[in-house]
Amino acid sequence: YNFRFTMTRDPALRVPVKMPAGYDRADFAGLLPLIEDGRIEKAFGYPSKCLVKAQLPPLPNGKHDINDVSRGLVRLSLPGENDAWPYGASGLAAREISGVTAPFSRTGLRQTRQRIFAEHLLWNVGLIYFVQNDDAVPAKFRDEAREYGWCRDEFTENGHLPEQLYIREARRMVGQYVYAEKDTDHAPGDARAVLHRDAIAMGDYGPNCHGTAHEGGRFGGQHTGEFYKGVSPYQIPYGVLLPKDVENLLVPGAMSASHVGFCALRLEPIWMSLGEAAGHAAHLAHADKVPLARVAVPKLQARLHATGAATIYVSDVPPSHPDFAAVQWWAAAGGLHGLAPMPEKPGQRGKNLVGQYFEAFPNHAAELDQPLDATLAERWRKMATDRGIDPTKFPAPGGKQTRGEWLRAAWAAR
């Protein structure tokens, strides 16, 4: 947990960082040796040897997203201090003793969260204020740090500070399908991740965790439980939205996932995709008069594909492509698996553009203009027949048609 500040270097927009309530410089003086010996070179930087991370590329309008420095010597996040957030202090203790969910006071939970919020706010703002204002900080370091300030037009009713703490992970559901690390792995020998024929969304951000505990002091110590894993774009099955024993509920935010699985699904684009899928699923359940667990997933996928929502990654067929729905439909059946082998490096990405942004993943294209060789044509023909498509409706194996021509015929005959 930490704050994601929005800051700027634009003097016309910049608001100075004020001393936070409860500030004591002694709490931050341990930073000085790390600056003096060069282990921390800048206050704001990317991706390492800095106090806080100014994400690349910058935000529009001269603004910057500020975040915790992965594997840094000083962290905005305070693992251990946030443990009581999901259930409150008394609820957490009861769970640790009994291993089951215990009742807790909503008032106590609110108070616990207010305390955790305030502790993180003091620590995060205090670090920035210290390096910008303390006379013991080397002048060059201090002057560079003072180039940054809050944005005059952001969070105007809250002193230009975010109103919410950035919560990476808290309570979540155990559902009909528990998404786990294995769901982000490559399919055996394949460039693509494991196939989920009932997928209703996709993602490509590798599972990562900024730490679950901390060893040593706040200056120069080390988070433990921290990891970063490269993966291929992965699919997310419908069952992560469905509780085990509640019929009339869909949960796209605190979805069903293990710790590592949730470390992949916790991204805002994925939450939005799952929310979109949940909306369509609710519509279908109402229209077809069935429980949510009995919604026809192929029907749900068709609605999503019609709106341009992807349930699998295909790098050369974006939502604007005329064959988007057909390619998504066929890929959901497994038609694009097995086209390219496992890369030398798992989760191999394309060329780095800037920061965490890359060109398209290699070997994830449909290549619709490529000739359909006899081996692939036979496999696709069998798949189509198994799906109840009349095999006389599309060309026989061994013809001169392209992948796209064959697929369009199968799509029309479905």
Side-chain angles (χ1 to χ4, degrees), residues 208-261:
N208 76 68
C209 177
H210 276 225
T212 56
H214 186 80
E215 293 179 348
R218 289 191 180 183
F219 300 101
Q222 180 179 344
H223 282 14
T224 59
E226 187 169 8
F227 68 87
Y228 304 87
K229 179 179 179 178
V231 296
S232 287
Y234 43 84
Q235 296 177 281
I236 307 166
Y238 182 48
V240 305
L241 301 179
L242 299 169
K244 274 188 172 181
D245 51 6
V246 179
E247 285 193 358
N248 199 29
L249 181 64
L250 290 158
V251 184
M255 79 293 285
S256 176
S258 70
H259 163 58
V260 177

Side-chain angles (χ1 to χ4, degrees), residues 184-206:
T184 67
D185 288 340
H186 283 272
D190 204 324
R192 291 187 170 275
V194 294
L195 176 65
H196 284 290
R197 290 186 170 85
D198 59 344
I200 41 80
M202 58 136 302
D204 71 350
Y205 198 81

Side-chain angles (χ1 to χ4, degrees), residues 18-345:
K18 295 181 180 180
M19 179 189 297
Y23 176 83
D24 183 346
R25 77 167 298 275
D27 293 335
F28 305 95
L31 178 60
L32 294 172
L34 301 179
I35 297 174
E36 291 165 357
D37 66 15
R39 282 181 285 172
I40 292 182
E41 298 175 349
K42 298 180 67 177
F44 297 86
Y46 184 93
S48 60
K49 289 197 172 182
C50 48
L51 180 64
V52 296
K53 186 188 297 179
Q55 301 275 27
L56 293 177
L59 300 174
N61 303 316
K63 299 177 182 180
H64 298 266
D65 172 30
I66 305 303
N67 197 11
D68 182 53
V69 176
S70 305
R71 300 191 176 97
L73 294 171
V74 181
R75 308 297 290 267
L76 296 180
S77 52
L78 299 170
E81 304 300 326
N82 60 335
D83 284 348
W85 182 278
Y87 293 96
S90 60
L92 178 68
R95 285 175 59 84
E96 289 176 338
I97 294 170
S98 64
V100 299
T101 301
F104 56 87
S105 163
R106 291 188 183 276
T107 301
L109 178 63
R110 187 180 304 112
Q111 292 173 343
T112 296
R113 290 183 171 181
Q114 288 172 344
R115 175 185 57 77
I116 294 171
F117 181 99
E119 183 175 8
H120 282 76
L121 186 66
L122 173 58
W123 175 248
N124 289 189
V125 178
L127 281 169
I128 295 173
Y129 179 82
F130 177 81
V131 296
Q132 288 185 336
N133 295 280
D134 197 280
D135 291 340
V137 176
K140 181 179 179 181
F141 194 100
R142 188 169 66 247
D143 291 344
E144 178 270 326
R146 294 182 75 168
E147 293 179 3
Y148 287 78
W150 310 134
C151 300
R152 192 176 305 280
D153 58 348
E154 298 281 354
F155 307 110
T156 56
E157 296 180 356
N158 196 46
H160 310 290
L161 293 169
E163 298 177 3
Q164 293 186 345
L165 181 63
Y166 176 44
I167 307 299
R168 284 175 170 262
E169 184 178 0
R171 287 204 300 266
R172 60 189 182 276
M173 175 182 69
V174 177
Q176 294 193 11
Y177 189 91
V178 179
Y179 200 84
E181 181 180 4
K182 62 181 175 58
D183 295 298
T184 67
D185 288 340
H186 283 272
D190 204 324
R192 291 187 170 275
V194 294
L195 176 65
H196 284 290
R197 290 186 170 85
D198 59 344
I200 41 80
M202 58 136 302
D204 71 350
Y205 198 81
N208 76 68
C209 177
H210 276 225
T212 56
H214 186 80
E215 293 179 348
R218 289 191 180 183
F219 300 101
Q222 180 179 344
H223 282 14
T224 59
E226 187 169 8
F227 68 87
Y228 304 87
K229 179 179 179 178
V231 296
S232 287
Y234 43 84
Q235 296 177 281
I236 307 166
Y238 182 48
V240 305
L241 301 179
L242 299 169
K244 274 188 172 181
D245 51 6
V246 179
E247 285 193 358
N248 199 29
L249 181 64
L250 290 158
V251 184
M255 79 293 285
S256 176
S258 70
H259 163 58
V260 177
F262 192 80
C263 286
L265 302 189
R266 61 177 179 77
L267 276 293
E268 284 78 359
I270 291 177
W271 282 332
M272 289 187 282
S273 297
L274 293 177
E276 181 179 11
H280 284 293
H283 169 85
L284 288 174
H286 177 73
D288 295 343
K289 296 180 172 57
V290 297
L292 289 167
R294 290 178 56 197
V295 165
V297 173
K299 201 172 180 178
L300 173 56
Q301 290 172 330
R303 286 181 63 90
L304 291 166
H305 299 157
T307 69
T311 57
I312 193 170
Y313 175 73
V314 186
S315 61
D316 60 344
V317 185
S320 59
H321 196 288
D323 293 320
F324 176 79
V327 169
Q328 287 288 315
W329 162 76
W330 193 239
L336 299 189
H337 274 70
L339 298 185
M342 172 79 175
E344 184 175 328
K345 178 182 178 182

